[in-house]
Amino acid sequence: EIFAGEGRVLLPGFVDLHTHLREPGREDTETIESGSAAAALGGYTAVFAMANTSPVADSQVITDHVWRRGQETGLVDVYPVGAVTVGLAGEQLAEMGTMATGVGAVRMFSDDGHCVHDPLIMRRALEYARSLDVLIAQHAEEPRLTRGAVAHEGPTAARLGLAGWPRAAEESIVARDALLARDAGARVHICHASTAGTVELVKWAKDQGIAITAEVTPHHLLLTDARLETYDAVNKVNPPLREGSDTESLRQALAAGIVDCVATDHAPHAEQDKCCEFAAARPGMLGLQTALSIVVETMVRPGLLDWRGVARVMSERPAEIVGLDDQGRPIEVGEPANLVLVDPDATWTVEGQHLASIASNTPYQSMTLPGRVIGTLLRGRITARDGVAASPGVPGGGR
Ligand code: DOR
Ligand code: ZN
Ligand code: ZN
């Protein structure tokens, strides 16, 4: 009877290619269990757990642990993302092959763990990734252009005295790695595209036949640097909130398929890491439970996407990008399915303390948002219903 009710929308379970769970290392802000509950409540049936844990997920011991913990919890399939390199200086490639063949079966590697400063290392990483048929997810930040930066470089930051993060810091890496991927014949995925220039570069690269894909976060679709006015560090994020011309370009690009999918960059942080001075606060914001509503607000309501399009950017494209064939495809009769049921007309009011994450750093505090997840099914089992996550501990039986 979960399916009862008129005007509801049934979609394939959402797939998030970019989630920060804080296990191991910062379990005071999120665990695989708490993050899995947030994911189920947000309509997700698969999430990709980013590699910048502590220690970094640069070995099979950690990537296998992440997969196993996700399966034990049983609320969402937690796919580990492996780090491209080992060591702080990022001078040595990680054993990607070992991680790819472990029980965690890593499909996606990222520099969002250890920064890769050296283009030669990235070139070798792309060649290695190609031989393994895995993907590299590029955080796209030239660190020599963002040293000390805390906000988008523009008139607002200048007026408020906040050090600026230029668009070129992102765009130069997007351009560089599009060319490196072309030469290596490898696939590269651009994380959290945040500028109109990145959209232009991704479009250019796709037109050349380069195997490039891109994601956009809900917050980069909705929020701008106008948010900085209050100096509230909840709005601090990497890449930073940009300008209205960027959000507009990102929305159009998502509608047109230039940007392939929505990914949350869900980034829980402790109260003490967010309530300090803006410059000292950690970057990142919660996203799993609010993603669908922000997509409804920014894309469905203005007529840029219909519900078929929502299925494409939240489920089908992300599943295709990482080669998950149990997600986002038509379901056979009688087959246990990954589904999310949505009430498109219902609204709800965000309350950070009531979200399933341990941390509560949502930028949407007290906002009333459209689109409500009624229920989520993982292989036919209800993992969330009417705002309550199922109890953890029923093994997911994934893969
Ligand atoms: O804002 C961000 N937070 N951007 C990142 O790239 C990392 C993330 C985090 O781990 O908190
Ligand atoms: Zn990142
Ligand atoms: Zn991230």
Side-chain angles (χ1 to χ4, degrees):
E1 104 262 22
I2 188 175
F3 296 108
E6 269 180 49
R8 291 182 176 174
V9 182
L10 189 61
L11 301 162
F14 300 148
V15 177
D16 189 11
L17 295 185
H18 194 149
T19 308
H20 296 273
L21 305 177
R22 301 303 193 192
E23 184 178 339
R26 283 307 298 266
E27 290 87 347
D28 60 315
T29 63
E30 195 80 292
T31 61
I32 288 169
E33 190 171 304
S34 66
S36 292
L41 289 164
Y44 288 90
T45 50
V47 300
F48 280 71
M50 242 328 140
N52 67 337
T53 46
S54 182
V56 169
D58 60 9
S59 70
Q60 194 204 331
V61 179
I62 299 172
T63 54
D64 281 356
H65 166 80
V66 168
W67 169 258
R68 282 205 187 92
R69 276 299 298 144
Q71 290 303 297
E72 282 161 19
T73 303
L75 296 177
V76 65
D77 287 338
V78 180
Y79 289 90
V81 179
V84 166
T85 54
V86 295
L88 279 180
E91 67 292 331
Q92 195 188 326
L93 288 186
E95 287 192 23
M96 291 160 57
T98 313
M99 287 187 267
T101 52
V103 47
V106 176
R107 299 157 183 264
M108 184 160 91
F109 290 86
S110 179
D111 63 337
D112 204 336
H114 302 302
C115 256
V116 179
H117 298 247
D118 185 345
L120 185 59
I121 298 284
M122 187 51 80
R123 181 186 159 109
R124 285 172 40 208
L126 284 160
E127 285 165 355
Y128 192 3
R130 189 217 153 123
S131 75
L132 296 169
D133 194 24
V134 296
L135 196 69
I136 291 200
Q138 172 52 265
H139 167 80
E141 173 180 355
E142 166 50 76
R144 285 156 292 196
L145 286 174
T146 60
R147 201 160 292 145
V150 300
H152 167 63
E153 182 181 88
T156 308
R159 184 159 44 77
L160 298 174
L162 299 171
W165 207 111
R167 290 186 180 92
E170 174 172 317
E171 293 159 4
S172 58
I173 299 292
V174 173
R176 184 195 79 178
D177 284 9
L179 298 175
L180 292 176
R182 177 195 65 189
D183 293 355
R187 293 183 294 147
V188 67
H189 177 71
I190 304 302
C191 295
H192 40 54
S194 76
T195 77
T198 290
V199 168
E200 291 304 310
L201 288 164
V202 169
K203 181 174 186 311
W204 175 85
K206 285 186 169 182
D207 288 346
Q208 307 303 302
I210 296 171
I212 193 169
T213 52
E215 67 188 33
V216 62
T217 70
H219 48 274
H220 288 110
L221 289 172
L222 180 68
L223 306 175
T224 68
D225 65 354
R227 276 280 185 125
L228 300 174
E229 221 66 54
T230 59
Y231 289 98
D232 186 342
V234 81
N235 299 306
K236 184 174 177 181
V237 64
N238 279 357
L241 301 178
R242 303 286 185 183
E243 298 180 41
S245 51
D246 297 293
T247 57
E248 184 53 33
S249 166
L250 290 163
R251 290 181 192 194
Q252 298 293 339
L254 183 63
I258 297 166
V259 167
D260 297 81
C261 63
V262 172
T264 66
D265 202 6
H266 177 83
H269 286 297
E271 184 83 29
Q272 69 268 21
D273 293 323
K274 275 296 194 183
C275 68
C276 43
E277 211 192 320
F278 197 91
R282 294 201 189 197
M285 37 184 70
L286 298 184
L288 285 169
Q289 277 180 257
T290 46
L292 173 71
S293 292
I294 303 302
V295 169
V296 174
E297 175 73 21
T298 58
M299 301 296 295
V300 179
R301 287 202 158 173
L304 288 165
L305 279 185
D306 57 14
W307 285 94
R308 191 71 202 68
V310 173
R312 177 167 58 81
V313 302
M314 300 285 285
S315 310
E316 294 165 4
R317 276 304 286 149
E320 277 170 22
I321 287 169
V322 285
L324 290 184
D325 55 11
D326 62 338
Q327 302 275 340
R329 63 165 171 78
I331 300 141
E332 305 293 326
V333 172
E335 187 183 355
N338 293 340
L339 294 169
V340 53
L341 185 69
V342 172
D343 186 339
D345 301 316
T347 60
W348 62 294
T349 301
V350 181
E351 176 52 67
Q353 295 294 339
H354 296 162
L355 297 174
S357 289
I358 296 170
S360 52
N361 55 305
T362 174
Y364 314 112
Q365 174 63 31
S366 302
M367 284 173 66
T368 298
L369 300 176
R372 218 189 141 88
V373 172
I374 304 293
T376 310
L377 284 93
L378 176 64
R379 285 179 284 280
R381 190 173 88 87
I382 296 172
T383 53
R385 181 176 188 166
D386 294 329
V388 181
S391 306
V394 179
R399 211 172 29 225

